[in-house]
Amino acid sequence: MDLNKNLEKYADLIVNIGLGLHAGDKLGIRLSEHSLPLARLVAKRAYEKGVSEIDLDFSDDSITLDRFLHAPDEAFESFPEYRVNFLENRYKDNFNVLSLAAPNPDLLKPADPARIAQWQKVAGKANKPLMAYTMQNRVKWCIAAVACPAWAKAAFPELPEEEAMEKLWKNIFLATRIDQDDPIQAWEDHDRELKKHEKFLNEARFDRVHYKGPGTDLMVGMVKNHVWKGGSGFSQKGDRFFANIPTEEVFSMPDADRVDGTLRATMPLSVRGQIVDDFHFVFKDGKVVEYDAGVGKQILDDLLAMDEGARRLGEIALVADNSPISNTGVLFKNTLFDENASCHFALGAAYTENLVGSTERSEEENRKLGMNNSLIHVDFMVGSKDVTVTGIKEDGTEIVLLKDGDWQI
Ligand code: ZN
Ligand code: ZN
């Protein structure tokens, strides 16, 4: 594998497909030491396209961890206001955002869970005004990932570091179609496929969706006037972009008050540097009324206690088992990849684009219609070859959507 050549193709894909950058655009890039080489390639192409300004947000795992381990208590009591103001002003100045994540799934393992929970609450509250810019597509935004030793080690613990890194990169390139001769064309073709499923689901007007599989028997009511979305999206200014690289999902809005039954997760979940595994939820009238986890129960406790909406669903996403990501057979231990290999739900905030007219209504009005609202949006995986997903219309008509891991529509 020629890493440099693939990184060039990756940068091309991010600039042309992920963000669809053009002359006059501005760009903020979130990066770390591991994503710097890719960020440089992206920046070069972005400037060549006529992007006028690029602003960087640098973070470092080692410094982040030391903060949690050694900074005084008061550092976690409030979120710096200047930081929120700066980022909000940058959005108002029409900056689009690219996150080049190099996530270490176990980063915060040595830190005090109470301190992490406290910080998540403080940071979540303070950053709420910022969430609207991406959740409502006021700007173009894109999340892509780069390999780093800690992630490679988590994904392939049996391999020495160098081989694990090589294997992780190889699978990232497979999952993102970078390995193909013309990734941009491959993404256009892939987008057309996703749009076909999106169209079918939108025309079907399902009232509810039923999940049946090992440990799972769940009925999910859909919000009236819900919208299914898959593949490319559009900013409020009408610019096309892809929020996630990779993306295999077609997703919509569940009714936060109409979810009933039991749901068993099919993959572990990495929440901000901590792992939850072997977990299930019991829902009644949309709310998680019972749950347990074999690993990381405390993390779930903190997550669900975040606010009222943290116990309810905000996203329902359908993903076929036959995709470049699933076909790698790799458990990436990273939500961006694993959620695109499996049907998933998110606890917490819903996306405005999944409900007709939502941006013209108040939060309270949307909530009455079943749109969930929360400081969190955490995806967890529920799909596998053994889970059958059926759409049910108001008149009782049933259509099998996914079976044996594949689309049936
Ligand atoms: Zn999703
Ligand atoms: Zn999600």
Side-chain angles (χ1 to χ4, degrees):
M1 182 186 67
D2 183 342
L3 180 60
N4 289 330
K5 193 175 146 227
N6 280 332
L7 283 178
E8 302 258 353
K9 288 165 84 179
Y10 203 7
D12 273 338
L13 186 77
I14 289 168
V15 167
N16 292 299
I17 287 284
L19 288 160
L21 291 173
H22 52 70
D25 276 349
K26 297 174 189 174
L27 179 63
I29 305 178
R30 283 187 209 135
L31 75 164
S32 71
E33 102 188 77
H34 306 291
S35 44
L36 187 56
L38 181 61
R40 285 178 174 153
L41 294 174
V42 166
K44 179 165 181 274
R45 282 163 176 71
Y47 282 131
E48 284 168 0
K49 285 255 158 196
V51 165
S52 56
E53 275 183 72
I54 296 179
D55 193 50
L56 304 178
D57 297 318
F58 187 85
S59 68
D60 179 73
D61 278 358
S62 168
I63 296 175
T64 301
L65 177 59
D66 276 332
R67 174 171 178 271
F68 276 94
L69 292 179
H70 307 301
D73 284 340
E74 52 270 32
F76 300 88
E77 279 159 13
S78 65
F79 193 92
E81 214 181 298
Y82 76 88
R83 185 86 199 130
V84 179
N85 292 340
F86 168 76
L87 291 171
E88 181 149 30
N89 284 331
R90 203 173 71 176
Y91 278 126
K92 283 184 180 155
D93 203 18
N94 290 316
F95 271 77
N96 306 288
V97 280
L98 170 65
S99 287
L100 294 178
N104 172 358
D106 292 313
L107 178 66
L108 296 181
K109 211 172 178 182
D112 172 13
R115 188 169 255 202
I116 300 172
Q118 148 111 358
W119 180 244
Q120 279 171 2
K121 204 157 195 165
V122 165
K125 263 199 187 121
N127 284 293
K128 182 125 198 249
L130 302 180
M131 256 171 101
Y133 288 86
T134 50
M135 298 291 279
Q136 300 179 5
N137 293 341
R138 292 191 201 166
V139 297
K140 295 185 280 190
W141 56 287
C142 179
I143 302 171
V146 301
C148 67
W151 179 15
K153 177 130 202 69
F156 308 111
E158 71 288 357
L159 295 180
E161 185 177 303
E162 202 176 316
E163 277 174 55
M165 277 292 281
E166 164 118 22
K167 188 165 179 183
L168 180 55
W169 268 125
K170 193 171 165 240
N171 281 289
I172 290 174
F173 293 139
L174 282 169
T176 53
R177 297 177 165 81
I178 294 298
D179 64 309
Q180 303 188 21
D181 290 339
D182 186 349
I184 290 178
Q185 188 55 49
W187 271 74
E188 294 292 359
D189 296 344
H190 172 48
D191 194 32
R192 249 192 319 276
E193 276 301 302
L194 290 173
K195 292 291 176 206
K196 235 168 50 190
H197 298 308
E198 178 192 279
K199 184 163 181 272
F200 180 94
L201 290 164
N202 279 328
E203 286 173 1
R205 305 314 315 156
F206 290 117
D207 171 64
R208 53 201 188 273
V209 178
H210 183 234
Y211 290 70
K212 186 101 178 87
T216 291
D217 187 351
L218 187 78
M219 190 65 88
V220 181
M222 298 298 296
V223 164
K224 251 200 172 57
N225 297 321
H226 61 267
V227 180
W228 291 90
K229 290 269 181 183
S232 54
F234 288 87
S235 71
Q236 287 189 13
K237 289 191 204 78
D239 272 0
R240 189 173 88 137
F241 71 101
F242 286 78
N244 289 174
I245 295 179
T247 185
E248 302 287 338
E249 62 176 336
V250 184
F251 63 101
S252 191
M253 194 185 291
D255 186 329
D257 301 311
R258 286 202 302 142
V259 182
D260 291 279
T262 306
L263 189 58
R264 177 146 210 99
T266 50
M267 288 187 198
L269 171 68
S270 169
V271 195
R272 299 175 183 104
Q274 309 165 89
I275 297 279
V276 185
D277 199 1
D278 184 21
F279 60 106
H280 76 271
F281 300 110
V282 180
F283 286 88
K284 193 173 180 324
D285 299 326
K287 193 170 175 175
V288 174
V289 290
E290 203 189 301
Y291 63 95
D292 201 4
V295 177
K297 164 104 182 348
Q298 178 67 46
I299 299 160
L300 271 190
D301 290 343
D302 293 339
L303 196 68
L304 294 174
M306 189 71 115
D307 53 28
E308 163 66 23
R311 283 179 171 254
R312 295 175 187 271
L313 296 182
E315 179 194 352
I316 170 175
L318 302 180
V319 181
D321 207 49
N322 182 17
S323 72
I325 307 180
S326 301
N327 295 342
T328 63
V330 169
L331 178 64
F332 283 84
K333 303 222 175 100
N334 172 284
T335 303
L336 176 60
F337 286 79
D338 294 331
E339 76 171 349
N340 278 300
S342 166
C343 285
H344 58 268
F345 290 102
L347 286 168
Y351 289 99
T352 49
E353 62 184 318
N354 290 132
L355 175 60
V356 176
S358 58
T359 48
E360 283 113 57
R361 284 188 293 267
S362 71
E363 211 169 273
E364 293 70 34
E365 286 169 319
N366 280 326
R367 181 61 191 83
K368 278 194 198 122
L369 300 175
M371 175 176 178
N372 198 23
N373 179 25
S374 171
L375 296 175
I376 67 161
H377 176 100
V378 176
D379 298 280
F380 60 97
M381 281 55 85
V382 297
S384 78
K385 281 193 167 39
D386 305 320
V387 179
T388 301
V389 184
T390 307
I392 305 169
K393 297 186 185 184
E394 209 143 34
D395 66 6
T397 313
E398 297 193 4
I399 298 176
V400 177
L401 304 175
L402 283 162
K403 194 172 184 241
D404 302 326
D406 264 322
W407 286 108
Q408 305 293 308
I409 56 175

